[in-house]
Amino acid sequence: MTDIVVLVSGGGTNLQAIIDAIESGTITNARVKAVISNKEDAYALERAKKHGIKGKVAKKAELLSAIKEEGPDLLVLAGFLVVLPEEIIREYENRIINIHPSLIPSFCGQGFYGLRVHEGVLSRGCKVTGATVHFVDEGTDTGPIIIQKAVEVLPGDTPEVLQKRVMEEAEWKILPKAIDLFSNGKLVVKEGKVEVLS
Ligand code: GRF
């Protein structure tokens, strides 16, 4: 059984997708042991509570101890807007998964988060965007890519409309899928690239 701790900062729709996938059996061999947020008013904590999942608030300085208390096998960053301390990344090498709302390496890195990502996609006139799930390393959105899913940009899209489509058609599908692969030992990292075992 893979014990997961999900780190959140906002609405928690990706957390909800994980919870729903575990409850429906789309994710097997895993459970969310705790949800940790840097924001006490994050609606994601409400979502956890509704499903009987422990919720904790921890500022950056307390994060490592708050995580270690739960003894997770896997950390999932689901809209977590705090840069993880190096010691956490070292301690959980290739055991931290992040969801980013673009096709990395486009529109990622410093300053590209939330709506800013979709604003960049629209201002460049891209016809396709999408989402990426990757392992977290010391950089920003630079770790080994696990899964990507493309999403069409449509005429007249606003950043908000595009964000919703990327969430619905990509994020909420590939994040649970990546967790299920991890929880069933299907992900191997070789020379910085992820191999998915059949
Ligand atoms: C999502 O768009 C995710 O890709 C990004 O932050 C947002 C979090 O949304 N990392 P939610 O809190 O999961 O609804």
Side-chain angles (χ1 to χ4, degrees):
M1 176 64 72
T2 298
D3 281 342
I4 302 168
V5 164
V6 184
L7 304 182
V8 297
S9 298
T13 63
N14 277 285
L15 168 68
Q16 190 65 56
I18 295 166
I19 292 169
D20 294 347
I22 289 173
E23 290 183 355
S24 69
T26 306
I27 294 175
T28 58
N29 200 24
R31 66 177 174 175
V32 178
K33 193 131 180 276
V35 173
I36 299 175
S37 180
N38 59 309
K39 296 249 178 65
E40 59 190 322
D41 62 348
Y43 188 66
L45 291 171
E46 275 306 305
R47 295 179 189 270
K49 194 173 169 189
K50 281 184 188 154
H51 288 267
I53 298 169
K54 183 197 299 184
K56 299 200 286 197
V57 177
K59 297 300 178 199
K60 185 165 181 171
E62 307 137 8
L63 206 48
L64 182 59
S65 57
I67 290 168
K68 289 184 99 166
E69 272 168 22
E70 304 304 325
D73 304 301
L74 174 66
L75 297 181
V76 176
L77 312 186
F80 191 59
L81 296 178
V82 171
V83 176
L84 285 183
E86 291 270 320
E87 57 190 324
I88 294 178
I89 293 168
R90 274 197 305 274
E91 173 114 15
Y92 291 93
E93 186 181 15
N94 291 331
R95 294 193 293 144
I96 308 173
I97 284 178
N98 182 49
I99 175 82
H100 181 76
S102 77
L103 295 176
I104 288 174
S106 297
F107 305 104
C108 65
Q110 288 294 338
F112 278 112
Y113 57 88
L115 279 178
R116 291 186 182 189
V117 172
H118 307 291
E119 287 162 2
V121 167
L122 292 171
S123 66
R124 183 64 185 81
C126 299
K127 304 307 174 192
V128 172
T129 185
T132 303
V133 182
H134 63 93
F135 283 117
V136 172
D137 64 8
E138 290 73 14
T140 304
D141 304 326
T142 54
I145 292 173
I146 301 168
I147 301 179
Q148 293 186 298
K149 190 167 189 322
V151 173
E152 228 183 338
V153 181
L154 298 176
D157 271 349
T158 63
E160 292 78 5
V161 165
L162 185 53
Q163 178 179 54
K164 192 85 169 35
R165 188 178 311 120
V166 169
M167 283 177 157
E168 286 172 345
E169 296 185 9
E171 296 180 41
W172 300 344
K173 294 184 183 332
I174 63 175
L175 184 55
K177 178 67 185 163
I179 292 169
D180 182 58
L181 289 170
F182 181 96
S183 300
N184 289 284
K186 302 288 187 188
L187 298 179
V188 176
V189 181
K190 283 186 185 159
E191 295 168 6
K193 305 259 188 321
V194 175
E195 284 181 27
V196 179
L197 305 178
S198 50

